[in-house]
Amino acid sequence: MAEPALDRRLGHGLSGPFTDVPERIWHAALLWPTFRPLIRFCGRGVTEGLRTLKLPDSARAVVIGGGVAGCSVAYHLARLGWTEVILVERHELTEGTTWHSAGFVGQLRSTVTQTKMIMYSAGLYPELARLTGLDPGWHGVGGLRLATTPERVEESLRLAGAGETYGLGLEVLSGAEAKERFPLLYADDVRAALWLPGDGWLDPALLARALAAGARKLGVRILTGTRAVGLDVADGAITGVRLASGTEGAEDFEEWQVRAETVVVAAGAASGRVGRLAGVDIPVVPIKHQYVVTEPFGVPSSMPTVRDPDNIVYFREENGGILVGGYIRNPEIWSTAAPLEEPRTVFPPDMPKFQESWDSAVRRVPALADTRITKVVHGPEAFTPDGEFLLGETSVRGLWTAAGFCVHGLAAAGGVGKVMAEWIVDGSPEYDVFGMDLRRFGAHARSAAWSRAKALDSYSKYYDIVYPGEERTAARPLRRSPAWVRHAELGAVFGEKAGWERVNWFESNARRVAEPDRDARENGRGLRPAGWAGRIWSPAVREECLATRDAAGLFDQTSFAKLEVAGAGALEGLQRACAGQLDRPVGSIVYTQLLNARGGVEADLTVTRLADDRFRLVTGTAFGVHDAAWLRGQGVDVRDVTSAHACYCLWGPRALDILGSVCGDDLTFGYLRAREISVGGVPVLAQRVTFVGEFGWELYCPSEYGLTLWDTLIAAGAPYGMRPAGYRAIDSMRLEKGYRVWGLDITPETTPYEAGLGFAVAGDKDFLGRAALDAAHRPADDRRTPAVPAARSKAPVPARSLFCLVLDDPRQVCLGGEPVRSGGLPASRVTSGGYGHRVDRSIAYAYLPRGTAPGDRVEVGVTGTWVGAAVAAEPLYDPSSERVRRLPPSSSV
């Protein structure tokens, strides 16, 4: 009775290949209840066979979820020697979120880690057949990524440059050359295409089964038809999992407990629900995603995968036809309290929503116009607030997650298993995975409304060009400084990080900029940079930098994360965790790093000793949750006090006059010292430290005084030419001083010695990572001697070091990721770059091999153009740091 109405609703406004879709889909849906009991019976038979082996009551690790994520994690754990692993899946393997993946494996991604993980996966998948005897369904047909607009061509050239640094054998093709690889392609409007011969596609079910077979061979026990009904937690740590099989109340129902100190939630779209069993928030948002498959029409199996992001469509061959999918502009959340309760969840086709993607596919492959669609797959995709994976340990010790496999999850599944297993077994993975770390989100991610708004925005714009520095507006504003209202009045252009509204620059400062003089125009100073770097730009940034150099700048850094460690054992705990020497007098500030066991930099921060047994740590805005968790993992009791304190930074040669006019305390205390003062009526902790290379302080006050302190400083600074300033100015000035940024210049994959931070490594104490540093960086003539601290030995010379590069053309500005060639050969990639307004130079940083020295020449690929650059001695600005360390001349203090 309902079928005709359903047919009319789904077929409204459609013609040609869509006309018979609803009937086919509806008939399949009607048959499913008939077959489901039989499938369940067969599955129960397999499960009952396992029961005869005795139900396990303990395991080294339990993995919840039998899709590619769970199977890959279990397989890689077993490869690292953890054979006492149980994987549980409430249905059959792959029947949650994995089964309906389109299976694309595209290696080139926007970040180094994503690309490394997918390259690892692409190498693993063909080997699985040999390792397990099962075909993972790998089709190494290569991939095309099309560009039909000038902006997309620029993006392609940037990606091609990054691809060179990864060792990918990619090519930039013309439209005609792309058509040669897939003759059915309409390519008259294709301006360029990236060709990646190592790309391809997989059958998701076959891949998961091959990974599961590999795990079984290594000793992993897999229980299907088994669901997690509880997670046991004691003293903040996981202690076990409660499992159940069968139907509650029925004869076949069974429930039991498995003791385990490691549990991995890899339940796809159901991961949020599973996490809540332990009181943990895993912000997975199930979004409906659909693709279609056509009837066979002679498409060769060698057809490459094709992505046409300008037209939000992707496609590949399947059984002689073509699979067509796309990321629509108006996605829909799957709102349910029990996601994946049933196997192979499907939604009715929504062809009107899919029309744009289908029309794009028909334009790109005209033969589709006369081809019928024979299958529509419309199922849940496990999206996240920023479209990236959710990996790592949760707030419950021993409870991990590998979820949020949106868009490229199948491609990276092998890499995810690798890094998760390394993380669990060794304490840290080989790659820098902070961009995927669950701990990149704070408490605000607990809000379902926030997560949904961000996830919908991420899905709908997945194929959009992401310009560096571009700001998205979904779910904003959320976290705001006490001075936010004043920033808005001054025309602030806001950015967002970790939910915080932060000033990029003040547009009111742009109005102060006069027309550049002839010399400036001829030399490119103060002019809009070429290419992408000039898209999100304002002359206000230069004005703010120069005001800070000549008078003073006032910066709001309230968003920076602040952690406190106090009580008996505080010093001892931090001494073990930090590479720097913290046993200094009260009031001292120490710049230091937290290292992993390999000597890689896990965090970069300052530590202020407020009392004998009390320390305050300041780290980046987005890193507080991560850094606190790392310290807790080293046995340090940490309290996050970020929201308790506002922080304004007053930097510049007139800072002493400005602060002295509203403060009666002695302000002449030394560099890297902290002191309690009063500013007007506001109690302030003044820390003599800088991130821009100018004299001044970080000024901390309780949040309730924040607005008053800002107003006081603005009024006091006006007569001296002080300007309010933003984070783009900070980034410009820190490049000139060679100050490193964690996540870009320094990562868990780099050591302090490689990064030029050996001065921050204490030579008179032990700490986590000490042994690895000594082994890796001991001078060559010391290799056969017993291990001694490197800082006590000869100065270590690492195999690679971070160097400052100055580009010949000041209007060519790096944004990060650009390839670097030395002697015409690939050598490295830019870690970070920008324009230094105080030195009027285009600056970039890159790791280069031992033997590189100032004065050497390299080339940097900026959007397809090779620009000459010189290796420079650093810092470029105030190399003696006189402006930072000495008191400036002052008439009032």
Side-chain angles (χ1 to χ4, degrees):
M1 293 292 291
E3 292 180 52
L6 181 67
D7 279 350
R8 285 194 297 272
R9 180 173 65 85
L10 292 176
H12 177 69
L14 301 175
S15 60
F18 287 122
T19 52
D20 64 348
V21 168
E23 183 178 1
R24 292 172 182 268
I25 298 300
W26 182 251
H27 287 169
L30 289 176
L31 288 172
W32 175 247
T34 303
F35 289 114
R36 186 169 58 195
L38 177 61
I39 292 171
R40 278 185 169 176
F41 175 80
C42 294
R44 189 178 306 131
V46 173
T47 303
E48 289 302 321
L50 291 173
R51 296 286 185 266
T52 64
L53 300 177
K54 185 187 176 185
L55 294 173
D57 59 5
S58 67
R60 195 166 189 182
V62 176
V63 180
I64 301 171
V68 289
C71 291
S72 184
V73 171
Y75 170 70
H76 284 87
L77 281 172
R79 281 186 61 173
L80 291 183
W82 282 32
T83 54
E84 295 177 5
V85 175
I86 298 171
L87 183 148
V88 298
E89 165 57 47
R90 70 178 302 142
H91 305 302
E92 296 302 313
L93 296 180
T94 83
E95 291 192 348
T97 314
T98 292
W99 69 272
H100 69 85
S101 169
F104 280 63
V105 178
Q107 297 177 77
L108 184 57
R109 295 290 165 174
S110 59
T111 71
V112 175
T113 299
Q114 288 175 353
T115 304
K116 284 181 178 178
M117 290 170 65
I118 296 175
M119 289 175 68
Y120 171 84
S121 298
L124 171 69
Y125 297 159
E127 295 177 4
L128 279 173
R130 176 177 57 82
L131 294 171
T132 67
L134 293 178
D135 177 14
W138 169 247
H139 300 260
V141 294
L144 289 168
R145 182 183 173 92
L146 309 181
T148 62
T149 64
E151 295 79 11
R152 190 70 67 174
V153 171
E154 280 191 276
E155 180 195 49
S156 299
L157 292 174
R158 280 183 57 83
L159 287 171
E164 175 179 302
T165 71
Y166 306 139
L168 290 174
L170 59 80
E171 299 177 56
V172 180
L173 307 180
S174 66
E177 289 171 324
K179 185 175 177 66
E180 289 177 7
R181 283 169 169 75
F182 181 37
L184 292 176
L185 203 67
Y186 172 75
D188 288 2
D189 62 338
V190 175
R191 295 169 179 259
L194 290 181
W195 166 246
L196 290 102
D199 284 4
W201 62 276
L202 285 156
D203 181 302
L206 292 179
L207 170 62
R209 288 168 187 153
L211 287 165
R216 282 194 183 100
K217 283 194 171 186
L218 294 172
V220 174
R221 189 166 180 182
I222 297 177
L223 304 179
T224 58
T226 303
R227 60 191 181 276
V229 295
L231 296 175
D232 297 324
V233 179
D235 297 324
I238 197 78
T239 60
V241 183
R242 279 168 281 143
L243 301 174
S245 63
T247 304
E248 190 167 1
E251 186 177 342
D252 67 343
F253 179 73
E254 192 163 10
E255 184 173 343
W256 75 103
Q257 184 184 45
V258 175
R259 298 187 306 277
E261 294 182 356
T262 299
V263 175
V264 183
V265 179
S271 295
R273 179 185 61 79
V274 176
R276 284 190 290 275
L277 296 175
V280 165
D281 294 290
I282 301 174
V284 167
V285 180
I287 294 180
K288 299 179 180 180
H289 181 77
Q290 60 185 337
Y291 61 81
V292 303
V293 180
T294 73
E295 64 183 347
F297 62 103
V299 178
S301 60
S302 59
M303 167 195 162
T305 63
V306 180
R307 291 175 176 82
D308 186 359
D310 288 322
N311 295 290
I312 62 170
V313 66
Y314 60 82
F315 46 92
R316 64 166 175 81
E317 181 270 343
E318 181 159 309
N319 297 324
I322 290 183
L323 179 152
V324 178
Y327 289 91
I328 61 176
R329 297 296 185 188
N330 54 342
E332 182 181 349
I333 288 173
W334 181 28
S335 295
T336 176
L340 306 185
E341 189 77 15
E342 298 297 325
R344 295 195 170 228
T345 299
V346 291
F347 311 115
D350 191 342
M351 307 323 291
K353 279 193 174 183
F354 195 71
Q355 189 72 51
E356 181 180 358
S357 293
W358 177 256
D359 290 345
S360 293
V362 170
R363 287 194 303 272
R364 189 59 61 212
V365 183
L368 288 174
D370 302 317
T371 305
R372 292 184 305 113
I373 290 174
T374 57
K375 181 169 68 172
V376 176
V377 178
H378 193 191
E381 187 93 21
F383 247 78
T384 64
D386 58 4
E388 189 49 91
F389 302 149
L390 297 172
L391 308 180
E393 194 171 22
T394 70
S395 57
V396 172
R397 293 192 310 279
L399 180 62
W400 299 73
T401 185
F405 270 34
C406 43
V407 300
H408 54 275
L410 194 80
V416 167
K418 166 187 161 64
V419 300
M420 285 294 297
E422 293 168 346
W423 211 342
I424 292 168
V425 174
D426 300 329
S428 60
E430 178 183 358
Y431 307 147
D432 169 22
V433 295
F434 177 74
M436 309 172 188
D437 193 329
L438 174 69
R439 294 169 297 186
R440 68 189 183 272
F441 296 118
H444 56 283
R446 296 174 188 160
S447 163
W450 182 88
S451 295
R452 289 183 172 196
K454 298 291 279 189
L456 286 171
D457 180 68
S458 181
Y459 180 105
S460 67
K461 296 176 180 175
Y462 173 67
Y463 269 157
D464 287 1
I465 297 173
V466 180
Y467 296 103
E470 182 179 7
E471 302 287 352
R472 299 245 175 117
T473 59
R476 293 176 57 188
L478 183 63
R479 306 171 78 181
R480 290 182 268 189
S481 158
W484 180 88
V485 63
R486 298 291 189 261
H487 303 337
E489 292 168 358
L490 290 169
V493 175
F494 289 102
E496 179 268 338
K497 197 165 191 178
W500 281 97
E501 294 294 313
R502 312 195 317 170
V503 177
N504 283 335
W505 65 79
F506 288 93
E507 199 58 35
S508 55
N509 287 326
R511 295 191 288 271
R512 303 175 186 273
V513 180
E515 176 70 21
D517 60 28
R518 178 178 300 175
D519 179 65
R521 291 196 302 272
E522 290 175 352
N523 290 282
R525 296 196 297 267
L527 299 182
R528 184 182 296 273
W532 277 21
R535 294 188 65 92
I536 304 170
W537 174 91
S538 172
V541 176
R542 181 177 179 84
E543 171 69 12
E544 292 167 10
C545 292
L546 299 185
T548 305
R549 179 194 68 186
D550 299 334
L554 183 62
F555 303 82
D556 187 342
Q557 284 193 173
T558 298
S559 68
F560 269 42
K562 311 164 195 76
L563 310 172
E564 288 203 1
V565 178
L571 174 62
E572 291 75 14
L574 286 174
Q575 283 281 68
R576 290 192 304 271
C578 296
Q581 176 56 261
L582 304 184
D583 193 6
R584 299 179 184 275
V586 172
S588 297
I589 303 169
V590 177
Y591 169 60
T592 187
Q593 289 80 39
L594 309 179
L595 307 184
N596 56 41
R598 300 189 310 275
V601 180
E602 288 287 345
D604 183 69
L605 36 75
T606 58
V607 180
T608 303
R609 191 168 194 176
L610 301 176
D612 286 339
D613 60 352
R614 181 174 168 230
F615 298 82
R616 180 178 298 169
L617 289 63
V618 178
T619 186
T621 299
F623 308 147
V625 176
H626 168 275
D627 293 1
W630 181 265
L631 287 165
R632 291 183 186 114
Q634 311 309 313
V636 179
D637 187 16
V638 182
R639 189 165 62 100
D640 191 324
V641 296
T642 301
S643 298
H645 306 278
C647 174
Y648 308 127
C649 300
L650 177 62
W651 291 318
R654 304 307 301 271
L656 191 59
D657 291 327
I658 294 167
L659 193 60
S661 70
V662 288
C663 174
D665 296 302
D666 179 10
L667 300 175
T668 61
F669 55 92
Y671 181 58
L672 293 181
R673 297 288 298 171
R675 183 172 294 181
E676 298 282 356
I677 64 172
S678 294
V679 180
V682 178
V684 168
L685 174 68
Q687 297 198 165
R688 178 87 182 281
V689 68
T690 178
F691 199 54
V692 301
E694 300 286 356
F695 174 90
W697 306 270
E698 294 176 351
L699 303 171
Y700 296 86
C701 70
S703 290
E704 66 268 27
Y705 295 97
L707 184 57
T708 300
L709 179 59
W710 178 269
D711 288 345
T712 300
L713 293 172
I714 283 288
Y720 297 93
M722 184 191 77
R723 299 279 180 264
Y727 278 86
R728 296 294 172 81
I730 291 176
D731 196 52
S732 170
M733 291 185 281
R734 71 92 189 167
L735 282 166
E736 296 170 309
K737 284 296 292 180
Y739 295 151
R740 285 34 171 162
V741 169
W742 189 81
L744 298 175
D745 308 306
I746 47 178
T747 73
E749 298 181 46
T750 58
T751 70
Y753 292 126
E754 291 172 326
L757 300 176
F759 67 87
V761 177
D764 57 353
K765 69 164 195 170
D766 194 18
F767 52 85
L768 178 64
R770 161 104 273 168
L773 286 184
D774 293 345
H777 297 308
R778 197 183 320 144
D781 58 0
D782 257 358
R783 293 289 178 180
R784 296 185 181 180
T785 63
V788 294
R792 298 180 197 167
S793 162
K794 297 178 183 178
V797 181
R800 62 169 187 165
S801 296
L802 189 63
F803 283 93
C804 176
L805 310 179
V806 175
L807 278 64
D808 295 345
D809 184 349
R811 293 198 64 197
Q812 296 291 341
V813 176
C814 294
L815 299 167
E818 291 85 356
V820 179
R821 288 179 179 174
S822 179
L825 299 175
S828 186
R829 67 178 66 88
V830 170
T831 59
S832 65
Y835 190 82
H837 293 281
R838 293 177 299 186
V839 299
D840 278 317
R841 297 288 186 272
S842 177
I843 306 167
Y845 277 82
Y847 283 90
L848 295 171
R850 181 188 293 142
T852 303
D856 289 352
R857 299 287 300 174
V858 297
E859 292 180 298
V860 182
V862 185
T863 318
T865 300
W866 288 100
V867 181
V871 178
E874 58 169 330
L876 297 175
Y877 181 75
D878 186 27
S880 64
S881 291
E882 294 289 314
R883 296 175 70 93
V884 172
R885 296 178 179 276
R886 291 194 175 181
L887 293 175
S890 173
S891 59
S892 61
V893 177

